[in-house]
């Protein structure tokens, strides 16, 4: 399985590298440029017009590579691809409306939520009825698997929607969401390989993880500072769907709180900022999400990306300690 996972990584990388020179000029030709929020950092205004929806590249790479490289398409592979592509479509519609309206406003919140809950339910229902997964989840740092019973499906839906939107919030600097999710993807690639040696259904997920890692490696060529293309909601929602789907299928949704610590911090910074301002009229951070706070205190965005990536690597090492292999 290791050889196939490595093959998937290399193939997905090459697919994105190949798609870049085709996709980016096409997005420019059709004026699919990013709109920048006026209330955001002023230094980002120069990024207005940078092609967005670049997440299409790694979504294609992940789906095609997984289907071509896999010797057998298991149910887990089908559902993880459906979740990734489904959330990508929601993001695509959101990005498309932003471009048409020429402003940073796409789908309405309730429209996004309906779509997200729909795909989350499909994944949760599949997992709940799977003999390999069921209604249990692993408790980090223990050997305990807790049975949620009838609460499993609503909990998993909440987890998937929450994780997806957390990844979406993290996508605010060149290469930030790509780098962090790449590291988390490596973590899950190792875990799926180690756990799936005696389980074909789980083991096949390592191929998907390899494709995820390879495609993001390729995408960083175009998305690292200064970005030639942004992933848009198309990419960030797809990545959130991918990470949450892997965690659910491994019965490890709680591990994302650890390895995806940056996602959690970004989300909490927004919650704290909004709550504080509404209750006291004062802001805790100079700007939220958290990556913008560090920009406002003088950090260059490449430094923010570097430090957040380092922290993610540390969180993933802790994550290995939290799992009973």
């Amino acid at each position: 399985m290791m050889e196939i996972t490595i093959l998937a990584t290399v193939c997905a990388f090459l697919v994105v590298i190949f798609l870049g020179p085709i996709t980016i000029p096409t997005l420019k030709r059709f004026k699919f440029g990013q709109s920048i929020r006026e209330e955001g950092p002023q230094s980002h205004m120069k990024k207005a017009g940078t092609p967005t929806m670049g997440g299409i590249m790694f979504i294609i790479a992940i789906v095609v590579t997984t289907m071509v490289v896999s010797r057998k398409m298991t149910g887990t592979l089908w559902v993880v691809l459906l979740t990734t592509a489904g959330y990508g479509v929601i993001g695509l519609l959101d990005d498309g409306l932003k471009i048409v309206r020429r402003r940073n406003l796409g789908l309405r919140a309730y429209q996004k939520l309906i779509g997200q809950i729909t795909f989350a339910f499909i994944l949760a229902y599949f997992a709940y009825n799977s003999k390999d997964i069921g209604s249990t989840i692993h408790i980090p740092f223990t050997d305990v698997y807790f049975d949620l019973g009838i609460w499993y499906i609503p909990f998993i839906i909440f987890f998937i929607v929450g994780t997806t939107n957390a990844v979406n919030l993290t996508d605010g600097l060149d290469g930030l969401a790509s780098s962090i999710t790449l590291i988390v993807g490596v973590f899950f690639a190792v875990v799926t390989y180690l756990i799936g040696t005696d389980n074909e259904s789980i083991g096949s997920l390592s191929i998907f993880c390899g494709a995820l890692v390879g495609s993001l490696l390729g995408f960083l060529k175009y998305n690292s500072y200064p970005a030639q293309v942004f992933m848009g909601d198309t990419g960030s929602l797809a990545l959130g769907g991918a990470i949450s789907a892997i965690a659910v299928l491994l019965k490890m949704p709680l591990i994302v709180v650890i390895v995806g610590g940056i996602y959690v911090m970004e989300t909490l910074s927004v919650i704290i900022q909004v709550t504080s301002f509404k209750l006291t009229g004062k802001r805790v951070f100079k700007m939220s999400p958290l990556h913008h706070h560090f920009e406002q205190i003088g950090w260059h965005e490449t430094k923010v990306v570097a430090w957040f990536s380092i922290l993610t690597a540390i969180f993933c090492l802790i994550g290995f300690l939290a799992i009973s292999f």
Side-chain angles (χ1 to χ4, degrees):
M1 187 63 73
M2 179 181 290
E3 294 82 0
I4 300 176
T5 301
I6 293 174
L7 177 63
T9 304
V10 175
C11 288
F13 170 79
L14 293 175
V15 170
V16 174
I17 293 298
F18 172 77
L19 287 176
I22 300 172
T23 306
I24 296 173
T26 301
L27 293 173
K28 287 182 178 178
R29 188 176 306 119
F30 287 98
K31 301 186 185 302
F32 288 172
Q34 177 71 45
S35 298
I36 305 297
R37 292 184 304 135
E38 294 181 2
E39 62 271 25
Q42 290 303 304
S43 61
H44 286 209
M45 290 302 172
K46 63 184 178 183
K47 299 182 180 184
T50 301
T52 188
M53 299 166 66
I56 293 173
M57 292 191 288
F58 58 72
I59 293 173
I60 291 173
I62 291 170
V63 173
V64 171
T65 300
T66 301
M67 294 182 70
V68 171
V69 173
S70 298
R71 294 172 180 171
K72 177 183 178 182
M73 285 295 294
T74 62
T76 53
L77 280 180
W78 280 117
V79 77
V80 76
L81 287 179
L82 174 63
T83 305
T84 303
Y87 275 92
V89 169
I90 296 171
L92 186 69
L93 292 173
D94 191 41
D95 287 333
L97 287 175
K98 289 176 184 176
I99 292 167
V100 170
R101 295 170 179 173
R102 300 295 177 186
R103 53 187 298 199
N104 198 36
L105 179 64
L107 290 171
R108 295 184 181 276
Y110 78 88
Q111 293 172 324
K112 272 188 184 181
L113 191 60
I114 290 173
Q116 291 173 351
I117 290 175
T118 298
F119 285 105
F121 174 79
I122 293 172
L123 175 58
Y125 184 80
F126 172 87
Y128 183 76
N129 288 281
S130 169
K131 61 181 178 60
D132 294 318
I133 305 169
S135 57
T136 59
I137 61 172
H138 177 251
I139 307 300
F141 300 105
T142 73
D143 295 326
V144 176
Y145 281 83
F146 185 74
D147 192 340
L148 290 172
I150 61 172
W151 297 104
Y152 178 81
I153 289 180
F155 171 80
I156 293 300
I157 291 174
F158 175 80
F159 163 74
I160 296 170
V161 173
T163 301
T164 304
N165 285 288
V167 176
N168 183 240
L169 284 174
T170 306
D171 180 35
L173 300 179
D174 295 1
L176 180 58
S178 306
S179 299
I180 291 171
T181 307
L182 167 62
I183 297 169
V184 175
V186 171
F187 168 82
F188 278 121
V190 174
V191 172
T192 52
Y193 172 75
L194 293 176
I195 292 180
T197 51
D198 299 319
N199 188 316
E200 182 184 36
S201 181
I202 298 300
S204 65
L205 278 177
S206 66
I207 299 171
F208 174 85
C209 292
L212 174 66
V213 169
S215 65
L216 288 177
L217 278 172
F219 187 67
L220 275 171
K221 179 185 185 302
Y222 308 109
N223 185 236
S224 58
Y225 183 87
Q228 297 174 248
V229 65
F230 298 141
M231 67 172 68
D233 283 0
T234 304
S236 61
L237 291 181
L239 292 182
I243 293 299
S244 56
I246 296 167
V248 168
L249 295 171
L250 287 174
K251 299 195 281 190
M252 297 179 183
L254 297 182
I255 203 69
V256 175
V257 177
I258 299 172
V259 300
I262 294 297
Y263 304 145
V264 176
M265 291 161 61
E266 295 273 28
T267 304
L268 287 177
S269 71
V270 174
I271 295 172
I272 292 170
Q273 187 85 324
V274 172
T275 303
S276 176
F277 188 75
K278 286 188 175 182
L279 294 178
T280 68
K282 297 180 180 180
R283 294 180 172 86
V284 175
F285 304 99
K286 289 185 178 295
M287 188 176 290
S288 65
L290 188 61
H291 53 262
H292 288 324
H293 169 79
F294 286 102
E295 279 192 290
Q296 294 298 92
I297 63 174
W299 287 27
H300 191 276
E301 61 179 285
T302 54
K303 182 177 180 179
V304 179
V305 173
W307 272 105
F308 279 28
S309 297
I310 291 169
L311 283 174
T312 299
I314 294 172
F315 291 152
C316 286
L317 291 175
I318 296 172
F320 284 121
L321 298 176
I323 298 175
S324 302
F325 290 106

